[in-house]
Amino acid sequence: MAVTINTLRELKQKGEAFSALTSYDSTFAQVVSEAGVDVILIGDSLGMVLQGNDSTLPVTMEHMIYHTSCVAKGNKGSLIMADMPFMSYGTVADALDNAAELMRAGAHMVKLEGTDWMRDTIEALSERGVPVCAHLGLTPQFVNKFGGYKVQGRDDKAAEAMIEHACQLEAAGADIILLECVPAPLAARITQAVKAPVIGIGAGSDTDGQVLVLHDMLGVTPGRKPRFVKNFLADTASIPEAIAAYAKAVKERTFPAEEHTFKA
Ligand code: KIV
Ligand code: NA
């Protein structure tokens, strides 16, 4: 049966973890969905992973529509989430037009990076039938404001603000919250504070779901690996097996382990 936002809500209520992975093309979308991964994310990480840029900022709506349509054709029942690229939701009107394009291309929901300023945008999308995932913490589209890729929410003030923002965005209509690179205790508090399922990456093992970039978990990303990455191909014989091992490890909460987690 196809995964919907209701499936994820039910899993949260039952305390069962769910898995998500990025895919950018039809073949991998099919492998990922057939391996039992619940959510496929067409991440704007494709700007780095596929296009070789040093940030996600060069990604355009045209790129996202193209990759979303490729993924949609290979998908076998996972929930398809598409990233809205940098400045494609700078105004509510832009957000509506651009989200519509991604939904037409086959997305079931969209993901936006930001804090409380996104309330009106999320409300407008939600009211018009577009489920939204609100991405908080290390939001890579803000790399130039952050001055680098850094763990977020480390001091008390930032931590309290992040909890507040997650609650506000849920109240505005966000169906999923995604936390990237935040200390595990803060991610655990946010996961308890909202009814919406919370997906983590570098956010510890207490979130409702986990996500990784496909190339990272297959060990093919060049250069230094972030702390939260695990190569699942290293202990398996094939890519489908590696992806299935990831889905199983998330379900059993054996991934992420301590070594993948920011404690404070
Ligand atoms: O673009 C992406 O792949 C993402 C995940 C890292 C959450 O946003
Ligand atoms: Na992204």
Side-chain angles (χ1 to χ4, degrees):
M1 230 174 59
V3 177
T4 68
I5 55 171
N6 296 339
T7 318
L8 304 181
R9 254 185 237 130
E10 282 160 24
L11 288 171
K12 172 164 186 148
Q13 272 160 19
K14 288 191 281 184
E16 288 178 29
F18 61 89
S19 57
L21 264 187
T22 69
S23 298
Y24 316 103
D25 66 42
S26 168
T27 301
F28 273 108
Q30 180 160 346
V31 171
V32 166
S33 58
E34 286 179 343
V37 173
D38 301 290
V39 179
I40 297 182
L41 171 66
I42 302 103
D44 61 355
S45 52
L46 68 85
M48 300 168 87
V49 172
L50 302 188
Q51 300 174 338
N53 300 301
D54 62 6
S55 80
T56 60
L57 273 63
V59 177
T60 65
M61 273 303 300
E62 200 184 337
H63 300 148
M64 292 308 303
I65 292 164
Y66 171 73
H67 288 284
T68 299
S69 70
C70 294
V71 163
K73 289 176 210 161
N75 179 43
K76 302 292 175 198
S78 299
L79 179 74
I80 300 179
M81 182 191 294
D83 266 347
M84 298 201 61
F86 180 63
M87 215 50 84
S88 67
Y89 47 103
T91 65
V92 174
D94 281 352
L96 293 176
D97 288 347
N98 289 322
E101 295 278 354
L102 293 173
M103 299 298 276
R104 284 186 200 111
H108 301 124
M109 67 187 302
V110 298
K111 177 160 77 61
L112 281 66
E113 298 180 8
T115 58
D116 51 346
W117 64 269
M118 298 200 299
R119 279 176 297 185
D120 291 349
T121 310
I122 290 175
E123 192 172 72
L125 287 166
S126 182
E127 282 177 333
R128 287 161 181 77
V130 180
V132 176
C133 173
H135 182 159
L136 298 160
L138 198 185
T139 43
Q141 292 174 17
F142 291 72
V143 62
N144 296 296
K145 282 290 279 185
F146 291 156
Y149 297 100
K150 299 176 171 107
V151 177
Q152 300 294 310
R154 280 199 141 139
D155 63 70
D156 284 351
K157 193 164 162 253
E160 295 307 321
M162 206 183 295
I163 296 169
E164 183 67 30
H165 294 154
C167 292
Q168 288 174 350
L169 297 181
E170 174 177 49
D175 289 289
I176 299 183
I177 305 290
L178 187 145
L179 302 175
E180 178 165 352
C181 291
V182 308
L186 172 58
R189 283 181 67 193
I190 294 173
T191 304
Q192 291 214 326
V194 297
K195 283 203 189 68
V198 175
I199 304 179
I201 175 165
S205 57
D206 292 329
T207 55
D208 303 302
Q210 298 289 333
V211 63
L212 283 178
V213 169
L214 180 67
H215 294 57
D216 286 348
M217 59 78 71
L218 294 177
V220 295
T221 307
R224 199 175 138 258
K225 278 148 210 50
R227 182 180 173 90
F228 54 80
V229 168
K230 178 176 173 181
N231 177 353
F232 283 86
L233 190 54
D235 301 321
T236 48
S238 71
I239 287 173
E241 278 178 36
I243 294 170
Y246 164 72
K248 183 164 179 277
V250 170
K251 212 135 248 160
E252 293 174 350
R253 294 194 190 270
T254 54
F255 177 82
E258 290 276 313
E259 76 221 63
H260 308 115
T261 299
F262 304 106
K263 287 187 195 91

